[in-house]
Amino acid sequence: MTFSKKLSPFYNLAVLYFIVSLILRIVLFFHPITQSSFTFAESLKIFTLGLISDFFVFVIASIFLWLYLIFISNSKYNKPYGYFILAGFASFLIYIASGKSIFDEYGGALPKIVLIFVAIKTSLFALFLFLPKYRTKIRFWLFAFVIFLYVLLILQNAISEFFFWNEFGVKYNFIAVNYLIYTNEVIGNIMQSYPVIPIFSGLFIITGIITFFIIKNSRNYIDEIPNFTEKLKVTAIYGALFAASLFAIPSLAKTENSKNVFVNELQSNGIYKFYLAFQNNKLDYFKFYKTISNEKAFALLKEQFPTITGENTLREINNDSIEKHKNVVLITVESLSADFMKMYGNQQNITPFLDSLAQKSLLFTNVYAAGNRTVRGLEAVTLCLPPTAGESVVKREDNKNKFSTGSVFLKKGYNVKFMYGGDAFFDNMQDFYSGNGYQIIDKSNFSENEITFSNVWGVCDEDMYNKAIKVMNAEAQQNKPFFNHIMTVSNHRPFTYPNNKIDIPGNIKSRDGGVKYTDYALRQFFNKAKEQPWFNNTVFVIVADHCASSAGKTQLPLDKYRIPALIYSPYSKPEKYTKLMSQIDIMPTLFGLLNFDYKSKFFGQDVLKPDYQPRAFIATYQDLGFIKDNVLTILSPKQQIKQFQLKLNPKAGIAPEFQIHYDEIPLKSENTELTNETISYYQSASYVLKKKEYQLKDLGLTFKNAKLYAKVR
């Protein structure tokens, strides 16, 4: 047998991986969410460098295949060596099972995983040792299983990348890493959103067929097991490629530098993108981003907040009028893009109630979400600070006893609650809100007769609102004002909701249906709230947590961060506020409307004050954007800074204040003043969190019981 045939398991699987990757790139290239056209040079770059990147990633991913193949032999079962090896396996198994091994020091599932693996290895070695007549047959089926597993992973990864792109318009990123943590919700969402049984049935059938042909062309490796010299040659070749891959993959990643984000995403390898996201889920601003001295950062911040002193944002907020201790209901609506609403140009009439309510409210027409995930929206309206690099504060370990909107209300004597129709454990919401003084009402507080419909994310919005009405009726009897923050769930894939509520059936899983049902449920809530004695003394704040999609051809596409926001109070005069503002400004503006006097650490501002300077913050977990004076400044890791002139791309029939589309034109020369202002905001926000200057320690209020959990029925 020629030496090249000794490599047949590697190159047969490699050919499969390259074919699957090429097909996937072509599909994503022409996918509707890929909102871009490509030049010939860009297309060549996508497919050529993408293929090279796939080659080196495959080499790295083949390390387990190499380890398996290189240890296939018959000589290790000869007497007496076979007995010595088996004794070694058995001793190691006993050591792990003792509960005192080095693996137990790491805790978690690791000891069990290692125990199972070593137990399987020990059992298989014993079978090969004591049943030599069946050794060839057992080896064949083990070889088939390994090949089947590799084929399955290659195909499964392609399917996963497709669905992830279909949802987010990018290859794997930080969200994919988070999804590994919340497997119950994520798997449930997949099960309810897609035809999983047909997909996986087809996947296993195709995997079996492909495995059959690969084994047919590769089984010579186990029929004529390579000798020691041949294995050394295989190892030398693989080792050289492995070493080259460790250098080549990061180098190729640096070529993903096109101004068109879709070019970079399509060129990239999904597996390596997942690895990068896993490595960078925690980003220290001071290590990865452009910095200035802290003195300069806070000096620039002082221009926005003249009364702050030192390296913090503590200041007094004073109003001339008497405080209004009205009830406040804050509703953060899941995935509500501005362009779902009629005023922003939508012609499908999927938000009729919100469209009508906007005409009766203080309507903010030019608001940008801080991020592209629910936890970022919750962070923005709760902590009112810019989105710092890495994971949201909501999901960090140090997320308790923060200065928050809830702490302001608590100081004013309010009952403070966070209401969520799902499991508040998801996305660490329970830990965050209970650790910041909120009582929590989630799905676990619902009795069976209070749930008419639910999916993997929780009860439908109608059920959540009905529960909220009951809770607020009980609170109204306590002669204390209440602040209730409600987070909706229905406008989320799989977009299922009760049938016969709107003209789009809930079982067809339509995003438009999810939006329209969310709007319908909100109407029902207001209709019932109007019948309650507390309604006329209540202010309602409605704002999206983020947009439905963040995919775009630019790094931070502005239209994918524009969200609706309004404040409604019975008998209040309707108004429009058209200046640029951030999601973090919503609650400080509300406090201004209520004439609250309080000590503040918020970065968010009352936009109705005459000294407010319009600006907004938008970000991913690593790209930090700042919009001001029609310029978008983006801070990225490795001290990178990009700036774009924003040129309005108006759409016909839409009023100027509701135009959301902008062309982002790279600036020819850096605007250092805006660069420094951007840095000052993000650096100072990162600093006060790192140095625990955003705590309640100097405001006379702490939450001793970080696990406060209301059992309201």
Side-chain angles (χ1 to χ4, degrees):
M1 182 171 59
T2 61
F3 177 71
S4 62
K5 290 187 177 181
K6 304 293 183 183
L7 301 172
S8 58
F10 292 98
Y11 61 68
N12 283 320
L13 284 172
V15 169
L16 172 66
Y17 181 64
F18 300 151
I19 292 172
V20 170
S21 296
L22 176 62
I23 293 172
L24 177 64
R25 271 200 182 84
I26 294 171
V27 170
L28 300 186
F29 188 90
F30 293 105
H31 193 285
I33 206 172
T34 310
Q35 302 169 355
S36 183
S37 57
F38 304 101
T39 65
F40 176 77
E42 288 175 331
S43 301
L44 189 64
K45 182 183 181 187
I46 288 170
F47 289 100
T48 303
L49 294 184
L51 178 64
I52 296 172
S53 178
D54 292 341
F55 171 79
F56 288 115
V57 168
F58 178 80
V59 170
I60 298 294
S62 299
I63 187 169
F64 298 106
L65 180 64
W66 169 75
L67 284 171
Y68 164 71
L69 293 175
I70 213 69
F71 284 104
I72 292 177
S73 73
N74 285 319
S75 59
K76 62 186 176 185
Y77 302 108
N78 295 335
K79 299 177 182 179
Y81 307 113
Y83 293 103
F84 292 147
I85 296 172
L86 180 61
F89 271 124
S91 300
F92 191 45
L93 182 64
I94 293 170
Y95 166 68
I96 298 169
S98 69
K100 298 179 180 179
S101 71
I102 189 173
F103 304 106
D104 291 283
E105 295 180 13
Y106 292 90
L110 182 62
K112 290 183 179 179
I113 293 172
V114 176
L115 179 65
I116 293 170
F117 176 77
V118 175
I120 292 173
K121 287 291 293 181
T122 304
S123 301
L124 287 172
F125 193 90
L127 285 174
F128 277 91
L129 180 64
F130 296 118
L131 299 173
K133 291 183 179 180
Y134 298 97
R135 191 178 295 165
T136 302
K137 187 172 291 186
I138 295 172
R139 179 177 288 136
F140 171 79
W141 286 110
L142 277 176
F143 179 74
F145 173 76
V146 171
I147 298 298
F148 179 88
L149 193 60
Y150 258 89
V151 173
L152 180 65
L153 290 173
I154 289 170
L155 297 180
Q156 174 61 55
N157 176 69
I159 292 172
S160 299
E161 282 195 46
F162 170 79
F163 283 121
F164 197 83
W165 186 278
N166 189 59
E167 183 76 14
F168 300 105
V170 293
K171 292 289 187 76
Y172 295 138
N173 63 12
F174 201 25
I175 299 173
V177 177
N178 285 347
Y179 277 5
L180 288 179
I181 301 172
Y182 303 105
T183 52
N184 182 54
E185 287 82 357
V186 173
I187 292 174
N189 183 32
I190 293 170
M191 294 291 290
Q192 294 181 16
S193 299
Y194 304 104
V196 173
I197 294 177
I199 289 174
F200 277 90
S201 298
L203 173 64
F204 275 90
I205 292 171
I206 294 171
T207 300
I209 294 171
I210 294 173
T211 301
F212 171 80
F213 285 104
I214 291 179
I215 291 174
K216 185 178 179 181
N217 291 291
S218 303
R219 68 172 297 166
N220 46 59
Y221 188 94
I222 57 172
D223 289 341
E224 299 179 40
I225 300 171
N227 58 38
F228 182 75
T229 302
E230 290 172 327
K231 285 182 178 180
L232 279 180
K233 291 179 181 178
V234 171
T235 300
I237 294 171
Y238 180 75
L241 288 174
F242 189 89
S245 299
L246 292 176
F247 171 78
I249 294 173
S251 299
L252 285 166
K254 292 178 182 178
T255 67
E256 296 163 16
N257 54 8
S258 172
K259 295 176 182 178
N260 186 333
V261 172
F262 283 118
V263 174
N264 299 330
E265 290 293 334
L266 289 169
Q267 177 191 331
S268 66
N269 179 278
I271 296 172
Y272 184 61
K273 292 277 283 188
F274 183 88
Y275 167 78
L276 289 178
F278 188 83
Q279 288 292 102
N280 297 324
N281 61 349
K282 293 181 180 179
L283 289 174
D284 186 333
Y285 180 92
F286 298 92
K287 289 182 180 179
F288 292 96
Y289 293 83
K290 180 73 174 178
T291 61
I292 54 181
S293 67
N294 280 330
E295 292 78 10
K296 183 175 181 179
F298 281 95
L300 289 171
L301 202 63
K302 189 176 175 64
E303 294 178 9
Q304 311 302 317
F305 309 118
T307 59
I308 65 172
T309 58
E311 295 180 346
N312 62 71
T313 55
L314 181 62
R315 61 197 185 278
E316 290 278 353
I317 304 293
N318 295 304
N319 286 277
D320 297 331
S321 303
I322 298 174
E323 291 189 357
K324 304 172 187 176
H325 286 191
K326 291 191 173 187
N327 305 312
V328 176
V329 177
L330 166 63
I331 302 173
T332 43
V333 183
E334 174 69 49
S335 304
L336 187 68
S337 302
D339 57 10
F340 287 151
M341 296 186 68
K342 187 175 182 180
M343 64 189 74
Y344 290 96
N346 192 293
Q347 300 298 318
Q348 296 172 284
N349 195 34
I350 54 177
T351 58
F353 176 69
L354 274 173
D355 290 332
S356 64
L357 188 66
Q359 306 304 316
K360 307 169 187 175
S361 307
L362 169 55
L363 176 64
F364 303 100
T365 68
N366 199 1
V367 185
Y368 285 89
N372 51 19
R373 297 216 56 207
T374 294
V375 284
R376 282 301 190 191
L378 295 178
E379 174 190 272
V381 296
T382 304
L383 300 181
C384 305
L385 84 169
T388 49
E391 188 57 275
S392 164
V393 176
V394 175
K395 299 186 69 175
R396 297 179 191 177
E397 292 182 10
D398 179 25
N399 65 0
K400 300 174 181 63
N401 294 314
K402 302 294 183 189
F403 182 75
S404 68
T405 53
S407 68
V408 174
F409 281 115
L410 285 168
K411 286 280 281 186
K412 299 296 181 183
Y414 279 66
N415 283 323
V416 174
K417 290 184 174 65
F418 175 72
M419 302 183 183
Y420 179 61
D423 184 349
F425 169 77
F426 182 74
D427 266 349
N428 213 41
M429 289 183 281
Q430 179 179 318
D431 186 59
F432 173 71
Y433 279 106
S434 64
N436 284 287
Y438 289 70
Q439 293 180 318
I440 297 175
I441 296 172
D442 69 356
K443 188 177 179 181
S444 68
N445 297 115
F446 284 68
S447 59
E448 288 186 13
N449 61 7
E450 289 177 321
I451 302 176
T452 64
F453 181 92
S454 65
N455 61 20
V456 67
W457 294 111
V459 303
C460 64
D461 285 356
E462 283 179 277
D463 291 345
M464 181 67 256
Y465 289 137
N466 289 336
K467 182 70 171 181
I469 294 284
K470 290 182 181 180
V471 171
M472 288 185 274
N473 284 342
E475 288 177 314
Q477 303 299 317
Q478 300 176 24
N479 296 318
K480 289 177 65 177
F482 56 76
F483 167 59
N484 291 323
H485 181 174
I486 302 172
M487 178 69 223
T488 73
V489 300
S490 290
N491 187 32
H492 194 296
R493 193 177 297 279
F495 306 116
T496 55
Y497 46 85
N499 281 319
N500 304 315
K501 300 291 184 176
I502 58 173
D503 57 2
I504 303 175
N507 54 3
I508 69 170
K509 302 177 182 179
S510 156
R511 180 180 288 281
D512 286 348
V515 175
K516 196 164 189 176
Y517 173 73
T518 295
D519 183 81
Y520 167 85
L522 197 58
R523 181 191 294 275
Q524 301 309 307
F525 170 63
F526 268 81
N527 288 341
K528 291 179 181 179
K530 287 177 182 177
E531 300 173 356
Q532 313 308 320
W534 44 263
F535 179 78
N536 288 334
N537 191 42
T538 303
V539 179
F540 297 86
V541 183
I542 301 175
V543 62
D545 62 343
H546 57 83
C547 284
S549 170
S550 60
K553 65 180 181 180
T554 58
Q555 203 167 347
L556 293 175
L558 265 63
D559 59 304
K560 303 301 184 181
Y561 286 83
R562 190 75 165 266
I563 57 172
L566 59 87
I567 297 177
Y568 172 80
S569 182
Y571 310 118
S572 292
K573 178 183 176 183
E575 295 180 64
K576 282 183 185 176
Y577 183 85
T578 62
K579 291 181 181 179
L580 174 69
M581 61 183 287
S582 172
Q583 195 176 27
I584 73 173
D585 301 318
I586 298 293
M587 296 308 288
T589 300
L590 172 72
F591 293 145
L593 290 169
L594 296 175
N595 299 321
F596 278 8
D597 294 334
Y598 62 104
K599 290 182 178 180
S600 176
K601 291 188 174 184
F602 293 143
F603 284 74
Q605 301 176 58
D606 180 353
V607 300
L608 302 179
K609 295 290 187 184
D611 58 349
Y612 168 69
Q613 300 179 36
R615 84 286 173 269
F617 306 90
I618 60 175
T620 63
Y621 71 95
Q622 64 177 3
D623 294 320
L624 310 176
F626 181 69
I627 309 169
K628 187 176 181 180
D629 297 337
N630 281 321
V631 173
L632 169 63
T633 304
I634 301 176
L635 308 180
S636 299
K638 300 181 182 179
Q639 290 79 44
Q640 294 182 357
I641 298 173
K642 296 179 183 178
Q643 288 185 311
F644 302 89
Q645 184 71 48
L646 302 176
K647 181 183 178 183
L648 183 65
N649 185 6
K651 303 298 180 183
I654 303 174
E657 63 268 29
F658 298 113
Q659 296 283 351
I660 67 174
H661 295 280
Y662 289 84
D663 293 326
E664 300 178 12
I665 305 167
L667 287 186
K668 294 181 179 179
S669 57
E670 182 181 346
N671 185 323
T672 54
E673 183 177 337
L674 285 177
T675 295
N676 287 334
E677 187 172 352
T678 305
I679 294 171
S680 74
Y681 272 112
Y682 284 112
Q683 181 174 320
S684 57
S686 302
Y687 178 85
V688 297
L689 288 172
K690 188 174 185 178
K691 298 298 182 180
K692 299 186 182 298
E693 291 292 336
Y694 216 70
Q695 305 298 104
L696 287 167
K697 58 186 179 181
D698 50 354
L699 295 178
L701 181 65
T702 58
F703 309 119
K704 294 181 180 179
N705 183 5
K707 298 296 181 184
L708 185 62
Y709 197 90
K711 295 297 182 182
V712 181
R713 293 287 181 183

